[in-house]
Amino acid sequence: MMNETYFYQQHVRKMSGILHLERIESSVGTGFPDISAAGDGKQMLIETKVAKGEWLYFERFQLSFHKKRLRYTDGKGVFVLAMCENDTSILLWNSADVIAAPREPYKKWNRVKVSDIQNELMRIEGKWPRDQMQSMARLIIKES
């Protein structure tokens, strides 16, 4: 099973050139998404996840950070990008749709079932070539 570091290095970085990506992880503050991105005069934040089975796991403060940030950005510019379905699909959502999905506490996490998240912005199946990841980058800019 893939981890988030490998997901970023092997796939997310393919969006470079369309987006300036800076992986920031938890060095900034509690709940801050993994990636600060910029493109076409816009800035956005991207949380990366690798699904565990049918679930995405968020630290308890992550989704509340997303919710607060979205209040200040008119619901735009904050995304969740996830490797799902046993590492066969990459899915993109606006964070507002992840927040709107039912979630449940699980140990120290809040987890969201992938199938419960509505309004998927984009899905890439298979080998995830650079041109498809760059199409996703353009969509992130458009949706921001």
Side-chain angles (χ1 to χ4, degrees):
M1 179 177 260
M2 189 177 303
N3 66 31
E4 285 180 27
T5 299
Y6 185 83
F7 176 42
Y8 176 82
Q9 291 172 346
Q10 296 300 309
H11 304 298
V12 178
R13 280 192 349 188
K14 293 175 185 174
M15 292 191 288
S16 291
I18 304 298
L19 293 174
H20 171 257
L21 301 170
E22 192 65 43
R23 193 154 185 245
I24 50 181
E25 296 276 337
S26 57
S27 60
V28 174
T30 304
F32 207 86
D34 300 319
I35 300 168
S36 173
D40 198 26
K42 299 177 180 180
Q43 293 192 46
M44 56 286 303
L45 299 171
I46 304 168
E47 178 65 37
T48 56
K49 292 291 178 192
V50 174
K52 293 176 177 67
E54 60 186 351
W55 298 95
L56 297 179
Y57 288 79
F58 295 88
E59 294 179 45
R60 294 201 184 260
F61 43 78
Q62 284 182 304
L63 292 176
S64 60
F65 177 92
H66 288 222
K67 189 174 184 178
K68 187 173 187 177
R69 180 55 60 106
L70 288 166
R71 276 198 313 262
Y72 288 91
T73 62
D74 295 327
K76 297 180 179 183
V78 187
F79 301 91
V80 175
L81 179 63
M83 176 66 70
C84 299
E85 299 167 357
N86 296 314
D87 302 344
T88 63
S89 301
I90 296 175
L91 282 77
L92 175 69
W93 299 274
N94 181 305
S95 286
D97 294 314
V98 177
I99 292 165
R103 59 181 175 261
E104 64 180 52
Y106 180 81
K107 298 184 180 178
K108 67 175 190 166
W109 309 94
N110 279 314
R111 67 184 190 171
V112 178
K113 192 178 286 190
V114 172
S115 61
D116 287 343
I117 306 170
Q118 303 297 307
N119 304 317
E120 176 182 297
L121 292 173
M122 188 170 181
R123 171 186 293 255
I124 301 174
E125 307 277 349
K127 301 222 184 269
W128 321 290
R130 182 175 190 85
D131 66 323
Q132 287 186 330
M133 293 303 292
Q134 291 196 339
S135 290
M136 185 174 278
R138 287 183 194 91
L139 180 61
I140 289 170
I141 291 168
K142 180 180 173 240
E143 295 290 325
S144 294

